[in-house]
Amino acid sequence: MKKITKTQQRDRRHNRVRARVVGTAARPRLSIFRSNTRVVAQLIDDEKMVTIAAVSSDTEKAKTPRERAEAAAVTLAKVAQAQGIKAIVFDRGGFQYLGTVKAFADAARGAGLEF
């Protein structure tokens, strides 16, 4: 029996999420990637295949990875609101909705994004 790796499991979850979540110009997709050291997020218009805005927690100054992710979410929300975007769809990228991913989403909601 073939063993499925963690990366393959995440890819399967991500494919299931992406089958349902589509970003438009009016409501772009907030795609998130979490590694051991950082969080990278993008606002994507899937119709035009264009990245509207992107942010990485590398650029934020905070002590813990969770605090850096929250600061990156606030930065992304400010950039989105400057471009007139208030509503988005959230693509968790196959990651479980807990820990850093949940903190990022809550901070983005708190900064004014609706999803």
Side-chain angles (χ1 to χ4, degrees):
M1 190 162 161
K2 202 172 199 181
K3 192 165 185 172
I4 300 172
T5 65
K6 284 185 179 182
T7 305
Q8 290 171 331
Q9 289 174 341
R10 188 186 75 81
D11 287 341
R12 287 181 177 185
R13 285 192 303 269
H14 194 192
N15 289 334
R16 282 197 304 267
V17 170
R18 284 289 293 123
R20 297 181 189 100
V21 177
V22 177
T24 62
R27 194 174 166 115
R29 174 171 57 99
L30 173 58
S31 176
I32 189 169
F33 175 78
R34 177 188 57 82
S35 72
N36 288 337
T37 57
R38 67 183 58 101
V39 172
V40 179
Q42 301 177 32
L43 285 175
I44 303 168
D45 179 1
D46 288 321
E47 292 174 343
K48 295 180 184 175
M49 294 185 196
V50 167
T51 299
I52 300 168
V55 69
S56 174
S57 64
D58 279 351
T59 60
E60 304 300 330
K61 304 292 182 207
K63 290 189 176 186
T64 66
R66 181 175 288 189
E67 290 172 354
R68 286 192 297 271
E70 290 170 349
V74 171
T75 303
L76 184 67
K78 288 179 184 177
V79 171
Q81 289 175 346
Q83 295 183 1
I85 299 169
K86 290 187 179 182
I88 60 165
V89 291
F90 188 65
D91 176 8
R92 60 187 173 89
F95 298 103
Q96 292 183 343
Y97 188 77
L98 50 83
T100 306
V101 175
K102 185 176 187 299
F104 185 93
D106 290 342
R109 279 191 193 102
L113 291 178
E114 298 173 5
F115 58 99

